[in-house]
Amino acid sequence: MTGAICNHYYPKTVEEALILEKLCYHSARLRNTGVYNARQHFFSEKEYIGRQQLSAMTRTNENYKMLICDIADQTINHVHRDFQSYFGAKKAATDHFSSISILFFSI
């Protein structure tokens, strides 16, 4: 689901490496929590959850609290963007195939 540009950063000290490892760990867990919350909301409500509501749901998560607020918000924004992209592609495919089926069944 991700297509982010990767900027390589090589830590200069062991302490920097440990900090980066912890940030990556908590960011990945927060992403998993955001995806889980978005999916569960969609399955129960049959509608996609908004960015603010998704952010509010994940603010109580321990991984959110371990990250700097900007990093945590950016992680949740990526989850929201990925789900928007998925539902947009799904709608486009549905519209495309419904117009093709109308053409075939009207003959």
Side-chain angles (χ1 to χ4, degrees), residues 52-75:
Q52 288 82 14
Q53 191 177 1
L54 181 61
S55 181
M57 288 176 73
T58 55
R59 284 180 197 260
T60 58
N61 187 278
E62 65 185 43
N63 294 303
Y64 188 95
K65 295 174 184 176
M66 295 296 288
L67 291 171
I68 299 169
C69 192
D70 291 341
I71 296 171
D73 287 338
Q74 192 64 30
T75 302

mmCIF file with all atom_site columns, all heavy atoms in Angstrom, residues 52-75:
data_model
loop_
_atom_site.group_PDB
_atom_site.id
_atom_site.type_symbol
_atom_site.label_atom_id
_atom_site.label_alt_id
_atom_site.label_comp_id
_atom_site.label_asym_id
_atom_site.label_entity_id
_atom_site.label_seq_id
_atom_site.pdbx_PDB_ins_code
_atom_site.Cartn_x
_atom_site.Cartn_y
_atom_site.Cartn_z
_atom_site.occupancy
_atom_site.B_iso_or_equiv
_atom_site.pdbx_formal_charge
_atom_site.auth_seq_id
_atom_site.auth_comp_id
_atom_site.auth_asym_id
_atom_site.auth_atom_id
_atom_site.pdbx_PDB_model_num
ATOM 1   N N   . GLN A 1 52 ? -10.002 12.858 10.728 1.00 0.00 ? 52 GLN A N   1
ATOM 2   C CA  . GLN A 1 52 ? -10.039 13.336 12.110 1.00 0.00 ? 52 GLN A CA  1
ATOM 3   C C   . GLN A 1 52 ? -10.523 12.238 13.062 1.00 0.00 ? 52 GLN A C   1
ATOM 4   O O   . GLN A 1 52 ? -9.993  12.086 14.163 1.00 0.00 ? 52 GLN A O   1
ATOM 5   C CB  . GLN A 1 52 ? -10.945 14.569 12.238 1.00 0.00 ? 52 GLN A CB  1
ATOM 6   C CG  . GLN A 1 52 ? -10.372 15.818 11.626 1.00 0.00 ? 52 GLN A CG  1
ATOM 7   C CD  . GLN A 1 52 ? -10.599 15.888 10.121 1.00 0.00 ? 52 GLN A CD  1
ATOM 8   O OE1 . GLN A 1 52 ? -11.393 15.133 9.567  1.00 0.00 ? 52 GLN A OE1 1
ATOM 9   N NE2 . GLN A 1 52 ? -9.888  16.777 9.454  1.00 0.00 ? 52 GLN A NE2 1
ATOM 10  N N   . GLN A 1 53 ? -11.514 11.489 12.636 1.00 0.00 ? 53 GLN A N   1
ATOM 11  C CA  . GLN A 1 53 ? -12.032 10.423 13.485 1.00 0.00 ? 53 GLN A CA  1
ATOM 12  C C   . GLN A 1 53 ? -11.006 9.308  13.651 1.00 0.00 ? 53 GLN A C   1
ATOM 13  O O   . GLN A 1 53 ? -10.827 8.772  14.743 1.00 0.00 ? 53 GLN A O   1
ATOM 14  C CB  . GLN A 1 53 ? -13.331 9.869  12.897 1.00 0.00 ? 53 GLN A CB  1
ATOM 15  C CG  . GLN A 1 53 ? -14.075 8.949  13.823 1.00 0.00 ? 53 GLN A CG  1
ATOM 16  C CD  . GLN A 1 53 ? -15.384 8.497  13.226 1.00 0.00 ? 53 GLN A CD  1
ATOM 17  O OE1 . GLN A 1 53 ? -15.742 8.851  12.110 1.00 0.00 ? 53 GLN A OE1 1
ATOM 18  N NE2 . GLN A 1 53 ? -16.111 7.681  13.961 1.00 0.00 ? 53 GLN A NE2 1
ATOM 19  N N   . LEU A 1 54 ? -10.293 8.974  12.572 1.00 0.00 ? 54 LEU A N   1
ATOM 20  C CA  . LEU A 1 54 ? -9.242  7.963  12.652 1.00 0.00 ? 54 LEU A CA  1
ATOM 21  C C   . LEU A 1 54 ? -8.119  8.434  13.563 1.00 0.00 ? 54 LEU A C   1
ATOM 22  O O   . LEU A 1 54 ? -7.599  7.667  14.390 1.00 0.00 ? 54 LEU A O   1
ATOM 23  C CB  . LEU A 1 54 ? -8.702  7.658  11.257 1.00 0.00 ? 54 LEU A CB  1
ATOM 24  C CG  . LEU A 1 54 ? -7.616  6.592  11.166 1.00 0.00 ? 54 LEU A CG  1
ATOM 25  C CD1 . LEU A 1 54 ? -8.137  5.252  11.667 1.00 0.00 ? 54 LEU A CD1 1
ATOM 26  C CD2 . LEU A 1 54 ? -7.126  6.473  9.735  1.00 0.00 ? 54 LEU A CD2 1
ATOM 27  N N   . SER A 1 55 ? -7.763  9.690  13.449 1.00 0.00 ? 55 SER A N   1
ATOM 28  C CA  . SER A 1 55 ? -6.720  10.246 14.305 1.00 0.00 ? 55 SER A CA  1
ATOM 29  C C   . SER A 1 55 ? -7.145  10.231 15.767 1.00 0.00 ? 55 SER A C   1
ATOM 30  O O   . SER A 1 55 ? -6.354  9.894  16.653 1.00 0.00 ? 55 SER A O   1
ATOM 31  C CB  . SER A 1 55 ? -6.384  11.672 13.865 1.00 0.00 ? 55 SER A CB  1
ATOM 32  O OG  . SER A 1 55 ? -5.370  12.207 14.649 1.00 0.00 ? 55 SER A OG  1
ATOM 33  N N   . ALA A 1 56 ? -8.390  10.573 16.029 1.00 0.00 ? 56 ALA A N   1
ATOM 34  C CA  . ALA A 1 56 ? -8.887  10.572 17.407 1.00 0.00 ? 56 ALA A CA  1
ATOM 35  C C   . ALA A 1 56 ? -8.908  9.161  17.995 1.00 0.00 ? 56 ALA A C   1
ATOM 36  O O   . ALA A 1 56 ? -8.614  8.973  19.183 1.00 0.00 ? 56 ALA A O   1
ATOM 37  C CB  . ALA A 1 56 ? -10.289 11.166 17.457 1.00 0.00 ? 56 ALA A CB  1
ATOM 38  N N   . MET A 1 57 ? -9.221  8.168  17.173 1.00 0.00 ? 57 MET A N   1
ATOM 39  C CA  . MET A 1 57 ? -9.249  6.787  17.652 1.00 0.00 ? 57 MET A CA  1
ATOM 40  C C   . MET A 1 57 ? -7.853  6.284  18.004 1.00 0.00 ? 57 MET A C   1
ATOM 41  O O   . MET A 1 57 ? -7.695  5.488  18.930 1.00 0.00 ? 57 MET A O   1
ATOM 42  C CB  . MET A 1 57 ? -9.862  5.864  16.596 1.00 0.00 ? 57 MET A CB  1
ATOM 43  C CG  . MET A 1 57 ? -11.342 6.006  16.420 1.00 0.00 ? 57 MET A CG  1
ATOM 44  S SD  . MET A 1 57 ? -11.957 4.974  15.084 1.00 0.00 ? 57 MET A SD  1
ATOM 45  C CE  . MET A 1 57 ? -11.840 3.364  15.827 1.00 0.00 ? 57 MET A CE  1
ATOM 46  N N   . THR A 1 58 ? -6.847  6.726  17.278 1.00 0.00 ? 58 THR A N   1
ATOM 47  C CA  . THR A 1 58 ? -5.495  6.206  17.490 1.00 0.00 ? 58 THR A CA  1
ATOM 48  C C   . THR A 1 58 ? -4.694  7.007  18.510 1.00 0.00 ? 58 THR A C   1
ATOM 49  O O   . THR A 1 58 ? -3.638  6.552  18.932 1.00 0.00 ? 58 THR A O   1
ATOM 50  C CB  . THR A 1 58 ? -4.721  6.156  16.164 1.00 0.00 ? 58 THR A CB  1
ATOM 51  O OG1 . THR A 1 58 ? -4.734  7.448  15.574 1.00 0.00 ? 58 THR A OG1 1
ATOM 52  C CG2 . THR A 1 58 ? -5.319  5.151  15.221 1.00 0.00 ? 58 THR A CG2 1
ATOM 53  N N   . ARG A 1 59 ? -5.174  8.165  18.916 1.00 0.00 ? 59 ARG A N   1
ATOM 54  C CA  . ARG A 1 59 ? -4.429  8.979  19.886 1.00 0.00 ? 59 ARG A CA  1
ATOM 55  C C   . ARG A 1 59 ? -4.305  8.294  21.240 1.00 0.00 ? 59 ARG A C   1
ATOM 56  O O   . ARG A 1 59 ? -3.396  8.603  22.007 1.00 0.00 ? 59 ARG A O   1
ATOM 57  C CB  . ARG A 1 59 ? -5.068  10.344 20.060 1.00 0.00 ? 59 ARG A CB  1
ATOM 58  C CG  . ARG A 1 59 ? -4.788  11.265 18.906 1.00 0.00 ? 59 ARG A CG  1
ATOM 59  C CD  . ARG A 1 59 ? -5.439  12.620 19.107 1.00 0.00 ? 59 ARG A CD  1
ATOM 60  N NE  . ARG A 1 59 ? -5.496  13.325 17.850 1.00 0.00 ? 59 ARG A NE  1
ATOM 61  C CZ  . ARG A 1 59 ? -4.638  14.274 17.498 1.00 0.00 ? 59 ARG A CZ  1
ATOM 62  N NH1 . ARG A 1 59 ? -3.687  14.619 18.325 1.00 0.00 ? 59 ARG A NH1 1
ATOM 63  N NH2 . ARG A 1 59 ? -4.749  14.865 16.336 1.00 0.00 ? 59 ARG A NH2 1
ATOM 64  N N   . THR A 1 60 ? -5.185  7.390  21.551 1.00 0.00 ? 60 THR A N   1
ATOM 65  C CA  . THR A 1 60 ? -5.106  6.689  22.828 1.00 0.00 ? 60 THR A CA  1
ATOM 66  C C   . THR A 1 60 ? -4.150  5.499  22.780 1.00 0.00 ? 60 THR A C   1
ATOM 67  O O   . THR A 1 60 ? -3.855  4.908  23.810 1.00 0.00 ? 60 THR A O   1
ATOM 68  C CB  . THR A 1 60 ? -6.499  6.189  23.250 1.00 0.00 ? 60 THR A CB  1
ATOM 69  O OG1 . THR A 1 60 ? -7.012  5.326  22.231 1.00 0.00 ? 60 THR A OG1 1
ATOM 70  C CG2 . THR A 1 60 ? -7.450  7.360  23.453 1.00 0.00 ? 60 THR A CG2 1
ATOM 71  N N   . ASN A 1 61 ? -3.654  5.156  21.591 1.00 0.00 ? 61 ASN A N   1
ATOM 72  C CA  . ASN A 1 61 ? -2.758  4.022  21.442 1.00 0.00 ? 61 ASN A CA  1
ATOM 73  C C   . ASN A 1 61 ? -1.385  4.338  22.033 1.00 0.00 ? 61 ASN A C   1
ATOM 74  O O   . ASN A 1 61 ? -0.893  5.457  21.919 1.00 0.00 ? 61 ASN A O   1
ATOM 75  C CB  . ASN A 1 61 ? -2.637  3.674  19.953 1.00 0.00 ? 61 ASN A CB  1
ATOM 76  C CG  . ASN A 1 61 ? -1.852  2.411  19.733 1.00 0.00 ? 61 ASN A CG  1
ATOM 77  O OD1 . ASN A 1 61 ? -0.631  2.431  19.731 1.00 0.00 ? 61 ASN A OD1 1
ATOM 78  N ND2 . ASN A 1 61 ? -2.574  1.321  19.553 1.00 0.00 ? 61 ASN A ND2 1
ATOM 79  N N   . GLU A 1 62 ? -0.768  3.345  22.637 1.00 0.00 ? 62 GLU A N   1
ATOM 80  C CA  . GLU A 1 62 ? 0.537   3.567  23.268 1.00 0.00 ? 62 GLU A CA  1
ATOM 81  C C   . GLU A 1 62 ? 1.627   3.911  22.256 1.00 0.00 ? 62 GLU A C   1
ATOM 82  O O   . GLU A 1 62 ? 2.559   4.647  22.569 1.00 0.00 ? 62 GLU A O   1
ATOM 83  C CB  . GLU A 1 62 ? 0.954   2.346  24.072 1.00 0.00 ? 62 GLU A CB  1
ATOM 84  C CG  . GLU A 1 62 ? 1.202   1.116  23.225 1.00 0.00 ? 62 GLU A CG  1
ATOM 85  C CD  . GLU A 1 62 ? 1.486   -0.113 24.054 1.00 0.00 ? 62 GLU A CD  1
ATOM 86  O OE1 . GLU A 1 62 ? 0.791   -0.323 25.056 1.00 0.00 ? 62 GLU A OE1 1
ATOM 87  O OE2 . GLU A 1 62 ? 2.397   -0.855 23.679 1.00 0.00 ? 62 GLU A OE2 1
ATOM 88  N N   . ASN A 1 63 ? 1.517   3.409  21.035 1.00 0.00 ? 63 ASN A N   1
ATOM 89  C CA  . ASN A 1 63 ? 2.517   3.728  20.017 1.00 0.00 ? 63 ASN A CA  1
ATOM 90  C C   . ASN A 1 63 ? 2.427   5.191  19.597 1.00 0.00 ? 63 ASN A C   1
ATOM 91  O O   . ASN A 1 63 ? 3.439   5.809  19.274 1.00 0.00 ? 63 ASN A O   1
ATOM 92  C CB  . ASN A 1 63 ? 2.359   2.813  18.800 1.00 0.00 ? 63 ASN A CB  1
ATOM 93  C CG  . ASN A 1 63 ? 2.666   1.382  19.145 1.00 0.00 ? 63 ASN A CG  1
ATOM 94  O OD1 . ASN A 1 63 ? 3.757   1.079  19.618 1.00 0.00 ? 63 ASN A OD1 1
ATOM 95  N ND2 . ASN A 1 63 ? 1.709   0.504  18.953 1.00 0.00 ? 63 ASN A ND2 1
ATOM 96  N N   . TYR A 1 64 ? 1.222   5.751  19.589 1.00 0.00 ? 64 TYR A N   1
ATOM 97  C CA  . TYR A 1 64 ? 1.046   7.173  19.284 1.00 0.00 ? 64 TYR A CA  1
ATOM 98  C C   . TYR A 1 64 ? 1.756   8.015  20.337 1.00 0.00 ? 64 TYR A C   1
ATOM 99  O O   . TYR A 1 64 ? 2.418   8.999  20.027 1.00 0.00 ? 64 TYR A O   1
ATOM 100 C CB  . TYR A 1 64 ? -0.435  7.528  19.232 1.00 0.00 ? 64 TYR A CB  1
ATOM 101 C CG  . TYR A 1 64 ? -0.714  8.921  18.740 1.00 0.00 ? 64 TYR A CG  1
ATOM 102 C CD1 . TYR A 1 64 ? -0.997  9.152  17.406 1.00 0.00 ? 64 TYR A CD1 1
ATOM 103 C CD2 . TYR A 1 64 ? -0.690  10.005 19.604 1.00 0.00 ? 64 TYR A CD2 1
ATOM 104 C CE1 . TYR A 1 64 ? -1.250  10.433 16.945 1.00 0.00 ? 64 TYR A CE1 1
ATOM 105 C CE2 . TYR A 1 64 ? -0.942  11.290 19.155 1.00 0.00 ? 64 TYR A CE2 1
ATOM 106 C CZ  . TYR A 1 64 ? -1.226  11.492 17.825 1.00 0.00 ? 64 TYR A CZ  1
ATOM 107 O OH  . TYR A 1 64 ? -1.461  12.766 17.375 1.00 0.00 ? 64 TYR A OH  1
ATOM 108 N N   . LYS A 1 65 ? 1.623   7.612  21.589 1.00 0.00 ? 65 LYS A N   1
ATOM 109 C CA  . LYS A 1 65 ? 2.213   8.374  22.688 1.00 0.00 ? 65 LYS A CA  1
ATOM 110 C C   . LYS A 1 65 ? 3.738   8.284  22.690 1.00 0.00 ? 65 LYS A C   1
ATOM 111 O O   . LYS A 1 65 ? 4.414   9.182  23.199 1.00 0.00 ? 65 LYS A O   1
ATOM 112 C CB  . LYS A 1 65 ? 1.656   7.875  24.014 1.00 0.00 ? 65 LYS A CB  1
ATOM 113 C CG  . LYS A 1 65 ? 0.167   8.145  24.153 1.00 0.00 ? 65 LYS A CG  1
ATOM 114 C CD  . LYS A 1 65 ? -0.399  7.513  25.396 1.00 0.00 ? 65 LYS A CD  1
ATOM 115 C CE  . LYS A 1 65 ? -1.904  7.727  25.443 1.00 0.00 ? 65 LYS A CE  1
ATOM 116 N NZ  . LYS A 1 65 ? -2.535  7.060  26.572 1.00 0.00 ? 65 LYS A NZ  1
ATOM 117 N N   . MET A 1 66 ? 4.285   7.210  22.136 1.00 0.00 ? 66 MET A N   1
ATOM 118 C CA  . MET A 1 66 ? 5.736   7.037  22.109 1.00 0.00 ? 66 MET A CA  1
ATOM 119 C C   . MET A 1 66 ? 6.396   7.837  20.991 1.00 0.00 ? 66 MET A C   1
ATOM 120 O O   . MET A 1 66 ? 7.604   8.064  21.035 1.00 0.00 ? 66 MET A O   1
ATOM 121 C CB  . MET A 1 66 ? 6.092   5.557  21.936 1.00 0.00 ? 66 MET A CB  1
ATOM 122 C CG  . MET A 1 66 ? 5.662   4.697  23.098 1.00 0.00 ? 66 MET A CG  1
ATOM 123 S SD  . MET A 1 66 ? 6.478   5.112  24.637 1.00 0.00 ? 66 MET A SD  1
ATOM 124 C CE  . MET A 1 66 ? 8.108   4.514  24.316 1.00 0.00 ? 66 MET A CE  1
ATOM 125 N N   . LEU A 1 67 ? 5.626   8.259  20.009 1.00 0.00 ? 67 LEU A N   1
ATOM 126 C CA  . LEU A 1 67 ? 6.177   9.000  18.877 1.00 0.00 ? 67 LEU A CA  1
ATOM 127 C C   . LEU A 1 67 ? 6.012   10.498 19.071 1.00 0.00 ? 67 LEU A C   1
ATOM 128 O O   . LEU A 1 67 ? 5.139   10.950 19.821 1.00 0.00 ? 67 LEU A O   1
ATOM 129 C CB  . LEU A 1 67 ? 5.465   8.597  17.580 1.00 0.00 ? 67 LEU A CB  1
ATOM 130 C CG  . LEU A 1 67 ? 5.725   7.185  17.083 1.00 0.00 ? 67 LEU A CG  1
ATOM 131 C CD1 . LEU A 1 67 ? 4.795   6.869  15.929 1.00 0.00 ? 67 LEU A CD1 1
ATOM 132 C CD2 . LEU A 1 67 ? 7.167   7.012  16.666 1.00 0.00 ? 67 LEU A CD2 1
ATOM 133 N N   . ILE A 1 68 ? 6.811   11.257 18.364 1.00 0.00 ? 68 ILE A N   1
ATOM 134 C CA  . ILE A 1 68 ? 6.622   12.700 18.300 1.00 0.00 ? 68 ILE A CA  1
ATOM 135 C C   . ILE A 1 68 ? 5.295   12.936 17.586 1.00 0.00 ? 68 ILE A C   1
ATOM 136 O O   . ILE A 1 68 ? 4.950   12.230 16.639 1.00 0.00 ? 68 ILE A O   1
ATOM 137 C CB  . ILE A 1 68 ? 7.789   13.347 17.538 1.00 0.00 ? 68 ILE A CB  1
ATOM 138 C CG1 . ILE A 1 68 ? 9.096   13.072 18.277 1.00 0.00 ? 68 ILE A CG1 1
ATOM 139 C CG2 . ILE A 1 68 ? 7.566   14.846 17.365 1.00 0.00 ? 68 ILE A CG2 1
ATOM 140 C CD1 . ILE A 1 68 ? 10.328  13.420 17.486 1.00 0.00 ? 68 ILE A CD1 1
ATOM 141 N N   . CYS A 1 69 ? 4.533   13.903 18.010 1.00 0.00 ? 69 CYS A N   1
ATOM 142 C CA  . CYS A 1 69 ? 3.177   14.127 17.502 1.00 0.00 ? 69 CYS A CA  1
ATOM 143 C C   . CYS A 1 69 ? 3.149   14.267 15.976 1.00 0.00 ? 69 CYS A C   1
ATOM 144 O O   . CYS A 1 69 ? 2.278   13.715 15.323 1.00 0.00 ? 69 CYS A O   1
ATOM 145 C CB  . CYS A 1 69 ? 2.582   15.355 18.167 1.00 0.00 ? 69 CYS A CB  1
ATOM 146 S SG  . CYS A 1 69 ? 0.822   15.537 17.906 1.00 0.00 ? 69 CYS A SG  1
ATOM 147 N N   . ASP A 1 70 ? 4.107   14.983 15.404 1.00 0.00 ? 70 ASP A N   1
ATOM 148 C CA  . ASP A 1 70 ? 4.131   15.167 13.951 1.00 0.00 ? 70 ASP A CA  1
ATOM 149 C C   . ASP A 1 70 ? 4.338   13.850 13.218 1.00 0.00 ? 70 ASP A C   1
ATOM 150 O O   . ASP A 1 70 ? 3.721   13.599 12.183 1.00 0.00 ? 70 ASP A O   1
ATOM 151 C CB  . ASP A 1 70 ? 5.236   16.146 13.544 1.00 0.00 ? 70 ASP A CB  1
ATOM 152 C CG  . ASP A 1 70 ? 4.938   17.561 13.989 1.00 0.00 ? 70 ASP A CG  1
ATOM 153 O OD1 . ASP A 1 70 ? 3.761   17.858 14.274 1.00 0.00 ? 70 ASP A OD1 1
ATOM 154 O OD2 . ASP A 1 70 ? 5.880   18.373 14.050 1.00 0.00 ? 70 ASP A OD2 1
ATOM 155 N N   . ILE A 1 71 ? 5.205   13.002 13.742 1.00 0.00 ? 71 ILE A N   1
ATOM 156 C CA  . ILE A 1 71 ? 5.457   11.704 13.115 1.00 0.00 ? 71 ILE A CA  1
ATOM 157 C C   . ILE A 1 71 ? 4.211   10.832 13.197 1.00 0.00 ? 71 ILE A C   1
ATOM 158 O O   . ILE A 1 71 ? 3.819   10.179 12.226 1.00 0.00 ? 71 ILE A O   1
ATOM 159 C CB  . ILE A 1 71 ? 6.663   11.007 13.773 1.00 0.00 ? 71 ILE A CB  1
ATOM 160 C CG1 . ILE A 1 71 ? 7.933   11.816 13.547 1.00 0.00 ? 71 ILE A CG1 1
ATOM 161 C CG2 . ILE A 1 71 ? 6.826   9.590  13.256 1.00 0.00 ? 71 ILE A CG2 1
ATOM 162 C CD1 . ILE A 1 71 ? 9.121   11.320 14.329 1.00 0.00 ? 71 ILE A CD1 1
ATOM 163 N N   . ALA A 1 72 ? 3.571   10.817 14.353 1.00 0.00 ? 72 ALA A N   1
ATOM 164 C CA  . ALA A 1 72 ? 2.369   10.012 14.530 1.00 0.00 ? 72 ALA A CA  1
ATOM 165 C C   . ALA A 1 72 ? 1.242   10.497 13.610 1.00 0.00 ? 72 ALA A C   1
ATOM 166 O O   . ALA A 1 72 ? 0.566   9.687  12.967 1.00 0.00 ? 72 ALA A O   1
ATOM 167 C CB  . ALA A 1 72 ? 1.920   10.056 15.984 1.00 0.00 ? 72 ALA A CB  1
ATOM 168 N N   . ASP A 1 73 ? 1.052   11.803 13.518 1.00 0.00 ? 73 ASP A N   1
ATOM 169 C CA  . ASP A 1 73 ? 0.012   12.342 12.643 1.00 0.00 ? 73 ASP A CA  1
ATOM 170 C C   . ASP A 1 73 ? 0.306   12.026 11.177 1.00 0.00 ? 73 ASP A C   1
ATOM 171 O O   . ASP A 1 73 ? -0.612  11.707 10.412 1.00 0.00 ? 73 ASP A O   1
ATOM 172 C CB  . ASP A 1 73 ? -0.122  13.849 12.824 1.00 0.00 ? 73 ASP A CB  1
ATOM 173 C CG  . ASP A 1 73 ? -0.800  14.211 14.137 1.00 0.00 ? 73 ASP A CG  1
ATOM 174 O OD1 . ASP A 1 73 ? -1.526  13.353 14.685 1.00 0.00 ? 73 ASP A OD1 1
ATOM 175 O OD2 . ASP A 1 73 ? -0.604  15.341 14.607 1.00 0.00 ? 73 ASP A OD2 1
ATOM 176 N N   . GLN A 1 74 ? 1.563   12.098 10.784 1.00 0.00 ? 74 GLN A N   1
ATOM 177 C CA  . GLN A 1 74 ? 1.922   11.784 9.400  1.00 0.00 ? 74 GLN A CA  1
ATOM 178 C C   . GLN A 1 74 ? 1.666   10.310 9.092  1.00 0.00 ? 74 GLN A C   1
ATOM 179 O O   . GLN A 1 74 ? 1.219   9.964  8.001  1.00 0.00 ? 74 GLN A O   1
ATOM 180 C CB  . GLN A 1 74 ? 3.400   12.126 9.144  1.00 0.00 ? 74 GLN A CB  1
ATOM 181 C CG  . GLN A 1 74 ? 3.782   12.097 7.698  1.00 0.00 ? 74 GLN A CG  1
ATOM 182 C CD  . GLN A 1 74 ? 3.049   13.143 6.879  1.00 0.00 ? 74 GLN A CD  1
ATOM 183 O OE1 . GLN A 1 74 ? 2.698   14.203 7.361  1.00 0.00 ? 74 GLN A OE1 1
ATOM 184 N NE2 . GLN A 1 74 ? 2.797   12.828 5.627  1.00 0.00 ? 74 GLN A NE2 1
ATOM 185 N N   . THR A 1 75 ? 1.919   9.445  10.053 1.00 0.00 ? 75 THR A N   1
ATOM 186 C CA  . THR A 1 75 ? 1.653   8.016  9.872  1.00 0.00 ? 75 THR A CA  1
ATOM 187 C C   . THR A 1 75 ? 0.168   7.779  9.664  1.00 0.00 ? 75 THR A C   1
ATOM 188 O O   . THR A 1 75 ? -0.238  7.037  8.757  1.00 0.00 ? 75 THR A O   1
ATOM 189 C CB  . THR A 1 75 ? 2.161   7.230  11.096 1.00 0.00 ? 75 THR A CB  1
ATOM 190 O OG1 . THR A 1 75 ? 3.561   7.477  11.258 1.00 0.00 ? 75 THR A OG1 1
ATOM 191 C CG2 . THR A 1 75 ? 1.928   5.753  10.930 1.00 0.00 ? 75 THR A CG2 1
#
